[in-house]
Amino acid sequence: MKIPEIAQLIKAEICTKNHDPDTEILSACSADLMSDVMAFSKSNALLLTGLVNPQVIRTAEMMDIKAVVFVRGKKPLESMIAMAEEKGIALLATDYPLFVASGKLYQNGIRGRGE
Amino acid sequence: MSTIVRDYSIPANDFTIAGEASSSVRKLLSQLGVSPDVVKRTSIAMYEAEINAVIHGNGGKAHVEIDESKIYICISDEGPGIADLDLAMQEGYSTAPDSIREMGFGAGMGLSNIKKNSDILYIETEINKGTKVNITVFFSK
Ligand SMILES: Nc1ncnc2c1ncn2[C@@H]1O[C@H](COP(=O)(O)OP(=O)(O)O)[C@@H](O)[C@H]1O
Ligand SMILES: [Mg+2]
């Protein structure tokens, strides 16, 4: 699924400008603990999180994660947006809680680890 | 290729710039044409060690050496040291306070993530002296 489709599905605002709209997202990981994210090994992945700080962007960078969705109405800080744009990572923000946002993506074919 | 050497300082308690050293090394490896899998494994191992130096070790230093076959990383700090290394290596064991957990770290997975992603891991630690985490990742196995 491409980033604009994901945004539409979970009614998310895309906060960054320069992501690649053709990036194909195949898998996702939902977590608030970054070390749990770093134990996740799939590629072309999306991260859903309720945590808002610069280390989320850093973790996404280290993990080759292409897009991050902030849930429950949380918005990334300006400094995080700038950092993500520099690294080519898309940032999205949705009002849905973590479980619902994850469920909508799963229902539409995005898969997790260990299946 | 001759050996490439890089040194970075890791400031204490600065969550905004924590990970800068790992980010620089990641870029360097990509530029050198190292395979994405190796870049990712190296990044995870170094980043977890860098974060540990920030949150547990009062900051420290990163020393990196890259030659044609491998990358060697030493993250050192002069913090409190680790009393029981076997215990610290266990998944889920953490002495991080809630304030760190609220920042997304302190799950107790860091050292095991480092171990999983490095080919050689050697940790030297002494109480009240500090900790050195030596990581080697080979470019091809
Ligand atoms: N550089 C360090 N200096 C002192 N103690 C450390 C250091 N690195 C790790 N530790 C100890 O080992 C524990 C486990 O580390 P780790 O697996 O990275 O988990 P976490 O960082 O999430 O607590 C830490 O909670 C801490 O007690
Ligand atoms: Mg840690």
Side-chain angles (χ1 to χ4, degrees):
Chain A
M1 208 184 306
K2 299 196 162 65
I3 289 166
E5 293 173 67
I6 288 172
Q8 205 177 15
L9 191 66
I10 56 173
K11 296 186 188 148
E13 171 198 347
I14 301 178
C15 309
T16 40
K17 285 187 210 81
N18 66 337
H19 68 273
D20 175 4
D22 290 325
T23 300
E24 196 66 52
I25 301 294
L26 303 172
S27 57
C29 171
S30 302
D32 285 351
L33 285 172
M34 294 301 109
S35 288
D36 283 345
V37 179
M38 275 183 289
F40 181 84
S41 55
K42 293 211 173 190
S43 52
N44 288 70
L46 173 88
L47 168 64
L48 296 107
T49 187
L51 184 73
V52 180
N53 72 43
Q55 295 310 321
V56 175
I57 316 297
R58 209 49 103 193
T59 302
E61 176 191 18
M62 299 303 160
M63 295 302 292
D64 279 328
I65 285 173
K66 313 287 183 202
V68 179
V69 177
F70 296 97
V71 298
R72 264 182 283 130
K74 298 189 177 176
K75 298 274 189 288
L77 310 170
E78 277 306 320
S79 59
M80 291 167 62
I81 294 174
M83 198 167 156
E85 284 179 340
E86 191 239 328
K87 299 175 194 307
I89 298 168
L91 301 187
L92 289 77
T94 178
D95 285 338
Y96 285 125
L98 186 57
F99 181 77
V100 176
S102 305
K104 285 184 185 284
L105 294 177
Y106 191 93
Q107 217 168 23
N108 282 272
I110 303 286
R111 286 294 174 263
R113 181 178 174 230
E115 56 181 351
Chain B
M1 180 174 113
S2 58
T3 304
I4 298 171
V5 179
R6 290 283 187 282
D7 286 282
Y8 306 89
S9 73
I10 303 170
N13 299 318
D14 190 332
F15 245 73
T16 317
I17 54 172
E20 282 283 339
S22 302
S23 179
S24 301
V25 169
R26 181 189 174 79
K27 275 179 209 138
L28 180 60
L29 288 178
S30 297
Q31 280 161 10
L32 291 169
V34 172
S35 78
D37 168 61
V38 171
V39 173
K40 189 166 166 179
R41 287 201 293 126
T42 306
S43 301
I44 295 170
M46 181 170 176
Y47 180 54
E48 288 279 16
E50 188 178 351
I51 292 286
N52 278 354
V54 174
I55 64 181
H56 305 295
N58 305 323
K61 291 184 291 192
H63 175 78
V64 177
E65 292 176 18
I66 302 168
D67 64 24
E68 49 280 290
S69 68
K70 64 181 181 301
I71 176 165
Y72 163 77
I73 300 159
C74 177
I75 307 274
S76 58
D77 66 60
E78 293 175 2
I82 303 172
D84 185 339
L85 190 55
D86 287 336
L87 183 61
M89 291 297 301
Q90 284 177 22
E91 291 190 358
Y93 176 83
S94 175
T95 59
D98 285 346
S99 59
I100 294 297
R101 238 170 308 263
E102 278 155 23
M103 304 294 294
F105 288 88
M109 300 294 290
L111 289 172
S112 73
N113 279 344
I114 297 171
K115 181 145 187 75
K116 264 185 252 166
N117 286 287
S118 54
D119 291 315
I120 306 173
L121 171 62
Y122 176 55
I123 300 175
E124 300 159 87
T125 185
E126 205 178 320
I127 294 295
N128 296 326
K129 286 261 169 68
T131 301
K132 272 188 187 165
V133 179
N134 301 274
I135 297 163
T136 302
V137 180
F138 294 107
F139 295 155
S140 58
K141 276 188 276 186

